[in-house]
Amino acid sequence: MASGQSYLGTCAKCLGVITEKACTAEKLNYHQRCFTCALCCKELFGKPYYTMNGKPYCEEDYLNKLDKCASCNKPILERVLKAEGRKFHPECFRCAVCKKCLDGVPFSVDTTKQILCMDDYKKKVAPQCARCKKPISPPSYTNEVTRVIAMGNSYHTTCYRCEDCGLPLSSNSEGRGCYPLNDRLYCFDCHKRRVPNVGRMPAGKAK
């Protein structure tokens, strides 16, 4: 070091002695020319900069290195919500159908990896009742679905009834079996009125 020159420390980047035009960042000293972006080497003295893993970056490179939201594809600057192997802004984590925010709310995914609230998941994946045409989904207090399958179709237990007299049908109860005719549901007595000499061969099984 030449006589009369001030010693301002050692540069954290080049490890050389700093005698003039020094700067300090994150408690480290640099030559002004050495304080550069760790990625593009743009000089950062007097400019906004960001640190990641102890290294300084210009604003552009810092934003490019941040995780991107799987929904809006913008950098995630604060809290990251991780779900199904992807990362989201909490406010971007929404049901694909109703757009309800699902941050902190139970959710599921369909076969195409779409994120759905539980109500829309049940509507989308639940079998449809062949009689009322509404989805057969579990009640809010359970994930178990009870349905009746007859003639290859699914029915709500409340919809599984004779289409003439309204008698609830059940293969487990004597006299209440299902006797279908032309894809319609009938109890034995109503079926017999339509087709004389019918045999007792009920159809339908609860699941």
Side-chain angles (χ1 to χ4, degrees), residues 10 26 45 68 70 88 101 112-113 126 131 145 152 171:
T10 301
E26 305 300 320
F45 178 71
K68 301 298 190 299
F88 301 84
C101 182
T112 64
K113 301 297 183 181
R131 185 165 189 179
V145 177
S171 58

Side-chain angles (χ1 to χ4, degrees), residues 84 86 88 96 108-116 124:
E84 300 299 313
R86 292 175 286 174
F88 301 84
S108 192
V109 294
D110 63 12
T111 55
T112 64
K113 301 297 183 181
Q114 278 193 317
I115 295 168
L116 303 169
K124 189 169 184 178

Side-chain angles (χ1 to χ4, degrees), residues 9-57:
T10 301
C11 178
K13 183 174 183 181
C14 73
L15 304 181
V17 174
I18 304 173
T19 59
E20 60 181 353
K21 294 185 178 179
C23 64
T24 301
E26 305 300 320
K27 299 182 180 181
L28 296 175
N29 296 323
Y30 297 86
H31 294 110
Q32 289 183 9
R33 66 179 182 277
C34 290
F35 186 51
T36 60
C37 173
L39 193 61
C40 70
C41 297
K42 180 189 298 182
E43 289 191 16
L44 298 177
F45 178 71
K47 300 175 182 177
Y49 73 93
Y50 302 83
T51 58
M52 182 181 292
N53 299 324
K55 297 180 180 180
Y57 293 89

Side-chain angles (χ1 to χ4, degrees), residues 177-190:
C178 176
Y179 295 82
L181 178 64
N182 298 326
D183 294 327
R184 300 176 72 87
L185 309 179
Y186 299 102
C187 65
F188 176 75
D189 289 340
C190 291

Side-chain angles (χ1 to χ4, degrees), residues 60-192:
E60 181 180 359
D61 288 332
Y62 174 74
L63 294 177
N64 286 335
K65 286 182 71 67
L66 290 176
D67 292 321
K68 301 298 190 299
C69 175
S71 177
C72 70
N73 201 40
K74 293 180 180 179
I76 303 174
L77 299 175
E78 298 181 2
R79 187 164 68 93
V80 179
L81 191 154
K82 299 179 180 179
E84 300 299 313
R86 292 175 286 174
K87 298 176 181 179
F88 301 84
H89 294 109
E91 63 273 17
C92 289
F93 189 60
R94 297 178 176 274
C95 173
V97 176
C98 69
K99 307 305 179 184
K100 172 185 176 181
C101 182
L102 299 179
D103 182 20
V105 177
F107 70 94
S108 192
V109 294
D110 63 12
T111 55
T112 64
K113 301 297 183 181
Q114 278 193 317
I115 295 168
L116 303 169
C117 67
M118 294 308 298
D119 286 342
D120 285 317
Y121 176 76
K122 292 172 184 177
K123 292 175 185 177
K124 189 169 184 178
V125 304
Q128 187 182 72
C129 177
R131 185 165 189 179
C132 71
K133 307 304 180 185
K134 295 181 180 180
I136 304 172
S137 58
S140 59
Y141 56 83
T142 180
N143 288 325
E144 295 184 359
V145 177
T146 300
R147 58 175 170 154
V148 177
I149 297 178
M151 302 176 293
N153 295 320
S154 296
Y155 297 86
H156 290 105
T157 53
T158 53
C159 290
Y160 188 59
R161 57 181 60 243
C162 176
E163 296 189 32
D164 272 0
C165 69
L167 177 74
L169 302 174
S170 171
S171 58
N172 298 321
S173 300
E174 182 66 27
R176 289 174 54 190
C178 176
Y179 295 82
L181 178 64
N182 298 326
D183 294 327
R184 300 176 72 87
L185 309 179
Y186 299 102
C187 65
F188 176 75
D189 289 340
C190 291
H191 189 291
K192 187 175 181 178

